[in-house]
């Protein structure tokens, strides 16, 4: 992303979900409190864009909104919605099973921590994000006075300081507590060394029952990291906004990859998983859903390897 500007992708996702929240068919996929918060954030960033998203999603212009999607990655807006549903379910399950700290890395305009921190007042929720993106979100939350003391916004520029260094500055954080680290729509922008650093952070700064929930993309036949079916417009736009895809891993290599880093793979969700779990019950099984980004949940192994990369 560009150094002094909020993430363009974070804004795009929030606007897409605001659009879906106005479509009567897809609105049940978006929690009402999430839709409200997306509206705040989109309006604060680009008010006209917020009005257009609401008008298009809720009226006769809806088809135009989906037509624009087909010019980029067909089915991507629904993918955002069900990806978030899956990660929210994983987060709630972790909290029910004893996790007491949730770190959302690269949170962007996501609303998960904002909504859950009041439901789980005894748990600590920390959003870690680039200062430029978080600055906008912090302003919106402060204006609306909607963040409780167990929700902390922590600016993190992983290109300059490690997550461990930054989290050490947060007095509320307990390195011995079981923790869930969520990296949604983030790992494709990282380098291999950055991924290794995240696993190392969890091994060294969290309790033994900690988990890592992250989305990841697979390299295509030509070696590029991309959504299959995306149009030629996508990659140039990502380069233009400073957010090109850089890291991916094949599904069949993931279990060994996390095991080498002291974890075991517990869940792996593909587009088929998301369609069956969320779209089919909502009567949307036939809707176009982007594929190529998957969701993994890994838990710390009982014993870490002797040598790690």
């Amino acid at each position: 992303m560009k150094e002094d500007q909020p993430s363009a992708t974070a804004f795009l996702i929030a606007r897409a979900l605001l659009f879906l929240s106005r479509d009567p068919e897809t609105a049940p996929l978006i929690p009402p409190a999430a839709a409200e918060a997306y509206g705040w954030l989109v309006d604060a960033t680009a008010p006209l864009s917020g009005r257009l998203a609401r008008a298009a999603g809720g009226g006769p212009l809806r088809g135009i909104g989906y037509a624009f999607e087909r010019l980029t990655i067909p089915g991507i807006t629904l993918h955002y919605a069900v990806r978030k549903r899956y990660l929210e379910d994983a987060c709630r399950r972790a909290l029910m099973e004893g996790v007491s700290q949730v770190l959302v890395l690269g949170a962007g305009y996501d609303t998960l921590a904002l909504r859950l921190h009041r439901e789980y007042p005894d748990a600590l929720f920390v959003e870690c994000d680039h200062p430029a993106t978080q600055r906008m979100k912090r302003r919106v939350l402060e204006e609306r006075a909607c963040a409780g003391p167990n929700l902390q916004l922590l600016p993190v520029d992983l290109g300059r300081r490690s997550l461990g260094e930054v989290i050490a500055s947060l007095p509320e954080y307990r390195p011995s507590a079981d923790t869930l680290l969520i990296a949604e729509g983030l790992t494709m922008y990282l380098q291999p060394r950055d991924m290794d650093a995240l696993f190392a952070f969890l091994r060294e700064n969290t309790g033994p029952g900690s988990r890592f929930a992250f989305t990841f993309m697979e390299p295509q036949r030509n070696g590029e990291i991309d959504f299959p079916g995306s149009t030629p417009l996508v990659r140039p736009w990502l380069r233009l906004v400073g957010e090109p895809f850089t890291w991916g891993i094949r599904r069949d290599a993931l279990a060994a990859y996390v095991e080498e880093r002291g974890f075991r793979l517990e869940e792996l969700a593909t587009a088929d998983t998301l369609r069956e779990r969320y779209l089919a019950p909502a009567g949307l099984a036939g809707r176009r859903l982007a594929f190529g980004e998957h969701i993994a949940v890994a838990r710390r192994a009982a014993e870490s390897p002797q040598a790690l990369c």
Side-chain angles (χ1 to χ4, degrees):
M1 61 176 287
K2 295 184 178 179
E3 185 68 23
D4 59 343
Q5 297 179 14
S7 165
T9 303
F11 172 76
L12 181 151
I13 293 172
R15 186 181 63 188
L17 293 168
L18 180 60
F19 169 82
L20 288 183
S21 74
R22 303 289 288 189
D23 181 341
E25 290 188 352
T26 57
L29 297 173
I30 315 296
E36 182 180 22
Y38 292 134
W40 300 340
L41 293 161
V42 171
D43 289 344
T45 306
L48 177 59
S49 190
R51 290 195 292 272
L52 289 173
R54 291 182 180 89
L61 299 179
R62 188 179 308 130
I64 297 176
Y66 287 115
F68 274 111
E69 177 195 71
R70 290 194 291 273
L71 295 174
T72 56
I73 307 172
I76 192 64
T77 53
L78 266 185
H79 171 73
Y80 294 146
V82 293
R83 179 179 80 179
K84 288 186 177 296
R85 287 286 301 273
Y86 189 97
L87 287 168
E88 179 168 340
D89 287 347
C91 182
R92 289 179 178 277
R93 186 163 56 252
L95 289 164
M96 293 292 290
E97 294 175 358
V99 161
S100 60
Q101 298 181 143
V102 177
L103 307 184
V104 185
L105 185 59
Y109 288 173
D110 182 60
T111 68
L112 179 67
L114 175 63
R115 290 181 292 111
L116 295 194
H117 85 283
R118 293 197 180 278
E119 286 189 45
Y120 298 89
D122 295 329
L124 174 67
F125 292 80
V126 183
E127 287 199 358
C128 309
D129 206 357
H130 191 278
T133 302
Q134 194 175 84
R135 192 177 304 122
M136 175 64 73
K137 193 171 193 178
R138 181 186 298 276
R139 177 168 68 83
V140 170
L141 298 189
E142 288 177 351
E143 288 174 352
R144 296 183 175 272
C146 57
N150 63 321
L151 173 60
Q152 299 290 324
L153 272 59
L154 192 65
V156 177
D157 185 346
L158 293 179
R160 297 181 178 178
R161 298 178 67 193
S162 71
L163 181 57
E165 290 174 323
V166 176
I167 207 75
S169 68
L170 190 64
E172 297 88 346
Y173 185 79
R174 294 177 294 121
S176 61
D178 288 348
T179 301
L180 170 65
L181 176 63
I182 299 175
E184 178 190 0
L186 175 69
T187 68
M188 67 281 285
Y189 302 112
L190 302 181
Q191 298 294 332
R193 64 179 180 275
D194 300 323
M195 289 297 296
D196 289 339
L198 294 181
F199 282 103
F201 166 80
L202 284 165
R203 292 194 309 270
E204 299 164 8
N205 298 277
T206 69
S210 295
R211 309 171 194 195
F212 187 11
F214 60 97
T215 66
F216 68 97
M217 296 183 69
E218 290 189 283
Q220 303 305 301
R221 291 177 181 268
N222 60 5
E224 293 182 343
I225 311 299
D226 208 350
F227 283 93
S230 64
T231 73
L233 298 175
V234 175
R235 295 182 69 83
W237 181 80
L238 289 170
R239 288 194 296 269
L240 179 66
V241 299
E243 300 178 27
F245 296 155
T246 54
W247 183 85
I249 187 170
R250 295 197 60 80
R251 278 173 287 173
D252 56 13
L254 186 64
Y257 174 83
V258 301
E259 184 176 345
E260 290 169 359
R261 287 153 180 80
F263 284 72
R264 68 176 185 273
L265 184 63
E266 289 199 328
E267 301 177 37
L268 176 58
T270 67
D272 289 339
T273 311
L274 301 176
R275 183 183 301 281
E276 180 180 351
R277 185 171 299 184
Y278 302 109
L279 296 188
L284 300 173
R287 292 284 289 266
R288 184 75 175 266
L289 182 64
F291 64 98
E293 182 186 26
H294 315 299
I295 308 173
V297 179
R299 187 192 291 255
R300 277 188 59 176
E303 296 182 4
S304 296
Q306 293 298 313
L308 292 159
C309 28

